[in-house]
Amino acid sequence: MPDISIPTIDGEKAKWSWYLYDFANSILVINGSLYFPQWVIKLKGVNDFWFNMSFALSSIFILLIGPMIGYLADKKFKAYSLLVISTIVLIVSGCLVGMAPLIKQETLQGQLALISFFWVLVSYQLSLVFYNAMLGSVSKTGKLMNTSASGLAWGWIGGIVAIFFGLLFSKGYLPSINAPEGMKTVLPSAIVTGILSLISLYGLRSVAHQSGGELISTKISVGFFWKTIKTRMILIFLISYVCFSDAILTLQNNSTIYMEKVFHFTDDTKAYMFIMVLLTGAIGAWLSVPIVRKLGLKKSLLGVLLAWTVVVVLSGMTFSEVWFTVWFAIIGLLNGAVWSIARVAYLIMVPSNLKNTMFGIYSSFERFASILGPMIWSACLYININIQGYRLAWLSMAVFLLIGTIILSRIPSIETEKES
């Protein structure tokens, strides 16, 4: 079990700084997710394929370097420094995405936007390697689920704030760059994310040199990484994680496009839908705490994944805007629960002195999951580019969720601490 005891004063400051980091990132990530996809696929030479390929290529990149960067953090106690670097890259690339509409030539707009977006994806995912590994350092003994859930909840609350903040620019209440309505929000969002992230990083200095175990001395090699994951419990979990995160992330990344193509929702309606799903996500994260207390980590995660599968099928089959809205709200609840439970389950499984390495592997498996899902989504649209093609793409993700659930059922019971 990781050593997760921390001094009271520094611990509270570090915990709230940890919450603030997720809150801050959400301002850029949510506004970018809401407006960027619709803008970029309308540019010359850019379509759904190239948009999804940016996810696939960033996934391959993270797949290759994630574990090595995590290993470096454990080897040299450099997790905090690497978190700072990845955050700076995130902010700079986010600002470049926001400024891309200023370029007059559409082809160059698309190229700058997609390249910058690629680095947003890479730096954001790398930052999560070190951020997630800090969970054991900012949480008191017996409070892992509470801290994990609250961190996710504050992240989604940050997303709600982000949307209202973005509307001030998209609706012209505050001045921004000369850009299409939604894209006016990206640059201000990147700037605010940068300011809040710096405040968060300052508060996290107290855990900069903490580690759950001793400094590792093993040299990096393919055999070393294989040895760290070949434990049956960890390996089964990671394979399952590939399947269900593949489906969830693909749905998440394409949801605004799906709403527009299938139901013809306006930008305002999609913004309200995102507010709703972020709010239910925060609620779902907090609700996962008593569920885990009652059922344990394994049963709770299995139940959430089964519910995910059913709701994706129902939402993909409905022709009613009202019912889609209902199912989408439930998706938010399930989204909050699944990431909170999965993060704690994985942290409990991994060796305490390899937290950054293991979360580098965790991130790599998540990025690997973002390769096949976008390709299948694009293949469904290639077969049928109209509304039915989008429905088929949406429903295909239920298959991945079901496979992930079946694989996870083979895992031994996950030992969990008693929550006080």
Side-chain angles (χ1 to χ4, degrees), residues 62-301:
I62 293 295
L63 182 65
L64 295 175
I65 71 167
M68 290 185 286
I69 295 294
Y71 169 86
L72 178 63
D74 286 322
K75 179 79 174 177
K76 302 293 185 181
F77 285 166
K78 294 292 184 180
Y80 178 78
S81 298
L82 292 170
L83 178 62
V84 172
I85 293 171
S86 59
T87 302
I88 292 172
V89 175
L90 173 66
I91 303 310
V92 172
S93 53
C95 288
L96 290 175
V97 170
M99 292 188 291
L102 296 176
I103 299 176
K104 295 182 179 180
Q105 215 281 331
E106 274 200 0
T107 302
L108 291 178
Q109 272 188 9
Q111 291 173 349
L112 174 62
L114 286 176
I115 291 172
S116 301
F117 184 62
F118 167 86
W119 285 108
V120 167
L121 295 173
V122 168
S123 55
Y124 176 64
Q125 198 61 37
L126 282 178
S127 71
L128 291 183
V129 171
F130 317 114
Y131 173 81
N132 286 331
M134 282 183 178
L135 172 59
S137 297
V138 300
S139 179
K140 294 180 181 180
T141 303
K143 293 290 185 179
L144 279 178
M145 271 303 304
N146 298 65
T147 305
S148 177
S150 293
L152 287 168
W154 276 108
W156 283 309
I157 291 171
I160 296 171
V161 172
I163 293 174
F164 285 111
F165 173 76
L167 288 174
L168 295 176
F169 295 95
S170 65
K171 297 302 180 183
Y173 297 115
L174 291 177
S176 185
I177 63 172
N178 183 22
E181 187 174 282
M183 284 298 291
K184 291 179 180 179
T185 71
V186 177
L187 181 59
S189 296
I191 293 171
V192 172
T193 291
I195 294 170
L196 294 179
S197 295
L198 290 176
I199 296 172
S200 169
L201 291 170
Y202 182 81
L204 285 170
R205 291 179 308 159
S206 61
V207 296
H209 301 294
Q210 286 190 20
S211 175
E214 297 180 359
L215 194 67
I216 58 175
S217 58
T218 310
K219 291 185 178 180
I220 190 170
S221 67
V222 174
F224 167 74
F225 289 124
W226 170 245
K227 184 178 179 180
T228 61
I229 67 171
K230 72 177 182 179
T231 303
R232 182 171 181 265
M233 180 181 292
I234 296 177
L235 187 59
I236 293 175
F237 179 88
L238 288 173
I239 295 172
S240 170
Y241 183 72
V242 165
C243 297
F244 70 75
S245 64
D246 194 337
I248 294 171
L249 293 173
T250 303
L251 290 170
Q252 176 182 302
N253 295 332
N254 290 277
S255 59
T256 56
I257 300 173
Y258 183 86
M259 292 180 202
E260 180 178 336
K261 298 292 186 180
V262 176
F263 294 103
H264 308 294
F265 286 165
T266 65
D267 282 351
D268 285 350
T269 301
K270 283 177 280 190
Y272 297 138
M273 292 284 282
F274 259 63
I275 292 171
M276 175 191 67
V277 82
L278 289 167
L279 179 60
T280 57
I283 295 171
W286 278 318
L287 287 177
S288 69
V289 178
I291 292 173
V292 169
R293 286 176 184 165
K294 181 73 174 178
L295 301 178
L297 287 167
K298 178 183 175 180
K299 290 182 180 179
S300 298
L301 191 52

